Amino acid sequence: MQRLNFDVDVVDVDWGAGVDPAVLRGKLQADYNHEIKAVCVVHNETATGVTNDLAELRSVIDACRHPALLLVDGVSSIGALDFRMDEWKIDVALTGSQKALSLPTGLGIVCASPKALEASKTAKSLRVFFDWNDYLRFYKMGTYWPYTPSSQLLYGLRAALDLIFQEGLDNVIERHSRLGHATRLAVEAWGLKNCTQHPKWVSNTVTAVLVPAHIDSTQIVRQAWKKYNLSLGLGLNKVAGKVFRIGHLGHLNELQLLGALAGVEMVLKDVGYPVKLGSGVAAASAYLMQSTPLIKSRM
């Protein structure tokens, strides 16, 4: 936004913390002339594994009777976490094909509310490649795309959505909740801590694990890849070298997660952390045995 020359009021928080509704309330209440045009928030912050409460933020905007648009980065949340575009009156939501939709990278997917579409008609900001008006004009013509589309990815998206609807979106969200909780139980059993500072912010799509000061988390990620063909996420920016990340989103089931957790335990042992092999897997398994339902299509 800054590179597009917007006037941006960046509200920083500690890494591992979520958005403070009180700060948002204070800024909106002080904006008597309604100069703030939009509130922008990341739903699920992947570097630290923090999920923000969009319903609470919407309630703050409504309580202040402020007309600002609510713009949401839902790249690592939409299709995996509870996300209610209409109920929470989200005006613009963005996601990508490579996260919960389980596709290769390449598609950016945007949904805009009638309020946002109306606002775009008088907006003065420069727009070129992703100008909504171009897309809307081609929608009316029946061709849907102002440029050559990524046909293979669109066919893949159709198949991915079929899988989601076959399982049922509510069931998909519940599955991610189980996988997230199981991962956190494993982390606790290893004697490690979640980077997320409060349970209300924990993410059900990614867990950022803090490592002891004498261990470089980059070494953990490299060892996992080079020895066990296990892909873990690096610590980024302020938490580089301090955390590694376990992704648990998309077309992933309980047994796949347990295999990944077993791999993490072996890596921790390799780098000298005194983990008891099987401890995290046992904690996650015990929970998943009790919480995983029968597959409805096979009952």
Side-chain angles (χ1 to χ4, degrees), residues 80-102:
L81 305 182
D82 191 14
F83 186 90
R84 309 183 188 188
M85 182 89 182
D86 295 334
E87 183 177 334
W88 297 339
K89 292 181 283 186
I90 295 168
D91 292 298
V92 180
L94 166 72
T95 193
S97 55
Q98 74 277 17
K99 299 293 186 179
L101 295 174
S102 305

Side-chain angles (χ1 to χ4, degrees), residues 125-177:
S125 53
L126 294 175
R127 286 158 287 180
V128 183
F129 173 73
F130 202 73
D131 188 335
W132 293 353
N133 290 325
D134 291 344
Y135 283 82
L136 292 171
R137 185 168 64 254
F138 277 81
Y139 289 168
K140 293 177 182 178
M141 293 169 57
T143 56
Y144 301 106
W145 220 272
Y147 314 103
T148 304
S150 303
S151 300
Q152 297 91 332
L153 283 173
L154 292 174
Y155 281 119
L157 177 61
R158 176 68 271 167
L161 292 174
D162 287 343
L163 289 172
I164 290 173
F165 295 140
Q166 180 181 3
E167 183 177 356
L169 184 56
D170 289 342
N171 295 327
V172 170
I173 293 170
E174 182 57 34
R175 170 167 54 82
H176 282 86
S177 178

Side-chain angles (χ1 to χ4, degrees), residues 47-260:
T48 55
V50 168
T51 299
N52 285 302
D53 189 338
L54 297 181
E56 185 176 23
L57 299 180
R58 165 45 69 188
S59 69
V60 169
I61 297 172
D62 288 349
C64 294
R65 298 184 179 181
H66 199 288
L69 298 168
L70 178 56
L71 315 184
V72 176
D73 173 344
V75 170
S76 61
S77 65
I78 295 175
L81 305 182
D82 191 14
F83 186 90
R84 309 183 188 188
M85 182 89 182
D86 295 334
E87 183 177 334
W88 297 339
K89 292 181 283 186
I90 295 168
D91 292 298
V92 180
L94 166 72
T95 193
S97 55
Q98 74 277 17
K99 299 293 186 179
L101 295 174
S102 305
L103 290 169
T105 305
L107 288 179
I109 301 168
V110 175
C111 187
S113 71
K115 180 180 176 181
L117 291 173
E118 189 63 29
S120 72
K121 295 177 182 178
T122 55
K124 300 294 191 295
S125 53
L126 294 175
R127 286 158 287 180
V128 183
F129 173 73
F130 202 73
D131 188 335
W132 293 353
N133 290 325
D134 291 344
Y135 283 82
L136 292 171
R137 185 168 64 254
F138 277 81
Y139 289 168
K140 293 177 182 178
M141 293 169 57
T143 56
Y144 301 106
W145 220 272
Y147 314 103
T148 304
S150 303
S151 300
Q152 297 91 332
L153 283 173
L154 292 174
Y155 281 119
L157 177 61
R158 176 68 271 167
L161 292 174
D162 287 343
L163 289 172
I164 290 173
F165 295 140
Q166 180 181 3
E167 183 177 356
L169 184 56
D170 289 342
N171 295 327
V172 170
I173 293 170
E174 182 57 34
R175 170 167 54 82
H176 282 86
S177 178
R178 285 196 304 275
L179 299 181
H181 188 69
T183 303
R184 292 188 290 274
L185 288 173
V187 172
E188 183 179 352
W190 297 332
L192 297 173
K193 293 183 179 180
N194 197 318
C195 182
T196 310
Q197 294 182 11
H198 195 283
K200 67 181 179 181
W201 291 315
V202 294
S203 169
N204 286 328
T205 60
V206 61
T207 298
V209 184
L210 288 166
V211 299
H214 67 279
I215 295 177
D216 184 351
S217 65
T218 303
Q219 183 184 1
I220 293 174
V221 175
R222 288 175 178 169
Q223 179 77 353
W225 177 249
K226 290 181 178 180
K227 187 173 182 180
Y228 301 112
N229 197 30
L230 173 63
S231 181
L232 299 173
L234 289 165
L236 304 174
N237 202 305
K238 292 183 180 180
V239 292
K242 300 177 182 179
V243 309
F244 66 92
R245 296 175 295 145
I246 304 171
H248 34 83
L249 80 164
H251 196 60
L252 178 74
N253 64 29
E254 290 78 4
L255 297 185
Q256 289 172 312
L257 175 65
L258 291 173

Side-chain angles (χ1 to χ4, degrees), residues 23-42:
V23 174
L24 174 61
R25 182 180 296 108
K27 289 184 177 293
L28 294 180
Q29 289 176 340
D31 182 32
Y32 301 110
N33 297 324
H34 292 166
E35 294 179 1
I36 296 173
K37 301 305 179 186
V39 174
C40 311
V41 63
V42 177

